[in-house]
Amino acid sequence: MTLFISATALPGAEVGVTDGPKGVVVNSRNGKAYAAFPDLGVVKIVTGTTGAVVVLKTGANVKALTINPRDGRVYAMNRGPGTISVIAPDTDAIVGTLKADRGSLTAMNPVTNRLYVSASTGTDPSVIDLATGESTVIRAGTEGNALSVNVKANKIYFVGYEDNFLTVVDGATNQPARIELPGFHQWESAFNEANGCLYLPTPNNDAVTIVDTGKKVVSMIGTGQVPMAAAVNSITNRIYVVNYGSSDVTVIDGATNRPIATIAVGLWPQQIAINTRTNMIYVVNTHANSVSVIDGRTNRVAATVPADKGPWAVAVDPVANMIYVANRLSDKVTVIDGRTHRAVQR
């Protein structure tokens, strides 16, 4: 699930972050990062390396976080009770709870003020009008394990884990349409506004499936082993695919949709985030308890930064040049200074 925010939106906080699901989001206007800890049922709010730390009890199995770049509110999907906690940016308090029975992942269109919720296996996704709180089921015929929003076109892309098709939902009418796909078991998606393509890591094929959403043309290119995450740098038009099985990253040129480099990282990487201002890429190595820092200009690892136990999600604050990593096997957030590559555990 990736949320693309157009250049005309207010400067917010989700920058180059992928989900599978999204465990960390950042608000660049107030410098706060929000990290989910599913096993503890809490969201931890951290401000830089020395600022305040707040722990909020949201609900069991909280995994997916989405931030509204216009008002800074954070929506935390609690899979256990089937609720979404609404967190205010100024008070760090839960100011509302939305129903989301069997909800899984979330993404939003800040222009229409609608939150999209993928569902558990065998059920349809839904959309919540945040102005009224009204929830509407989208008869998409898929639960949507991978979820992306094209804000400019007001299109929502759902792919179920067992689907061999992409479901494209018109945000104005909630009407679905399908595009056939060559592979199964897509784990997530990343949308590239520069070329209008949707990138779907397809682990069963050791490939990434590329959907040109304008032309409705589908292609597939090889990656490393078991690709499971992707992120787009829309400034450089580069796509980075994290290969869990081969512990490396495939770099794709968005102009040609061909791979141009393979970069070795730490053991079993899981997630990725990009600072488009510095052109630095951050890859979470879940089983190495580290973060690989890739220089996008050279396609080489510039640093390897220690994390805590079981890092699984990452987000970037491009304004402060801070990187936040949630560590699932501890209650710590690793905060990395992007200028020095030094980290503290919070």
Side-chain angles (χ1 to χ4, degrees):
M1 165 187 72
T2 299
L3 170 63
F4 162 68
I5 300 173
S6 70
T8 57
L10 296 181
E14 291 185 285
V15 179
V17 185
T18 61
D19 319 296
K22 181 176 297 176
V24 186
V25 293
V26 178
N27 187 332
S28 294
R29 285 177 289 182
N30 61 17
K32 295 178 181 179
Y34 303 78
F37 290 87
D39 303 309
L40 302 176
V42 304
V43 172
K44 199 170 190 178
I45 306 172
V46 177
T47 306
T49 57
T50 59
V53 175
V54 177
V55 178
L56 286 180
K57 187 73 175 179
T58 58
N61 203 14
V62 54
K63 281 187 177 180
L65 303 179
T66 296
I67 189 166
N68 186 333
R70 299 202 162 187
D71 62 16
R73 288 192 170 196
V74 173
Y75 298 87
M77 180 69 235
N78 308 303
R79 293 186 178 186
T83 61
I84 298 174
S85 300
V86 185
I87 304 172
D90 49 353
T91 63
D92 296 336
I94 297 173
V95 295
T97 301
L98 303 172
K99 283 189 175 182
D101 293 336
R102 302 189 72 180
S104 181
L105 304 179
T106 57
M108 80 170 300
N109 186 332
V111 175
T112 63
N113 201 27
R114 294 188 174 187
L115 185 72
Y116 294 89
V117 184
S118 71
S120 302
T121 302
T123 54
D124 283 311
S126 59
V127 55
I128 300 174
D129 185 334
L130 295 177
T132 65
E134 182 180 356
S135 178
T136 302
V137 174
I138 300 173
R139 303 300 179 185
T142 180
E143 68 275 8
N145 297 90
L147 169 59
S148 290
V149 176
N150 181 342
V151 173
K152 186 176 180 180
N154 195 15
K155 302 290 185 183
I156 303 89
Y157 307 111
F158 293 96
V159 184
Y161 184 66
E162 298 291 344
D163 294 348
N164 62 343
F165 56 88
L166 168 70
T167 300
V168 182
V169 174
D170 186 323
T173 64
N174 289 334
Q175 292 301 307
R178 288 185 177 182
I179 299 174
E180 291 187 7
L181 300 178
F184 291 86
H185 296 173
Q186 289 83 8
W187 285 354
E188 68 168 45
S189 58
F191 180 71
N192 184 2
E193 73 146 342
N195 61 9
C197 289
L198 188 71
Y199 296 84
L200 302 164
T202 309
N204 281 15
N205 299 86
D206 289 338
V208 59
T209 301
I210 304 173
V211 181
D212 186 322
T213 60
K215 299 178 181 178
K216 297 181 174 58
V217 174
V218 179
S219 59
M220 183 181 282
I221 61 173
T223 60
Q225 298 173 12
V226 194
M228 66 176 302
V232 174
N233 186 336
S234 59
I235 305 299
T236 63
N237 199 14
R238 295 285 188 268
I239 300 88
Y240 299 85
V241 181
V242 176
N243 303 307
Y244 182 82
S246 52
S247 297
D248 52 30
V249 173
T250 300
V251 185
I252 298 171
D253 183 346
T256 62
N257 278 331
R258 293 183 178 180
I260 58 174
T262 301
I263 306 165
V265 292
L267 183 63
W268 296 349
Q270 182 164 319
Q271 283 298 319
I272 185 170
I274 300 172
N275 188 336
T276 57
R277 290 192 175 190
T278 62
N279 197 16
M280 303 298 282
I281 300 94
Y282 299 87
V283 180
V284 171
N285 306 311
T286 303
H287 290 263
N289 294 332
S290 67
V291 177
S292 294
V293 183
I294 297 172
D295 188 330
R297 296 166 297 180
T298 63
N299 288 329
R300 294 182 178 179
V301 174
T304 301
V305 183
D308 209 72
K309 298 178 181 179
W312 73 287
V314 58
V316 170
D317 182 344
V319 175
N321 199 8
M322 292 286 179
I323 300 88
Y324 296 86
V325 179
N327 299 282
R328 181 145 187 192
L329 299 183
S330 74
D331 63 350
K332 300 297 184 183
V333 176
T334 301
V335 185
I336 303 171
D337 187 325
R339 295 161 296 185
T340 64
H341 305 316
R342 293 181 179 177
V344 297
Q345 313 300 330
R346 307 210 64 201

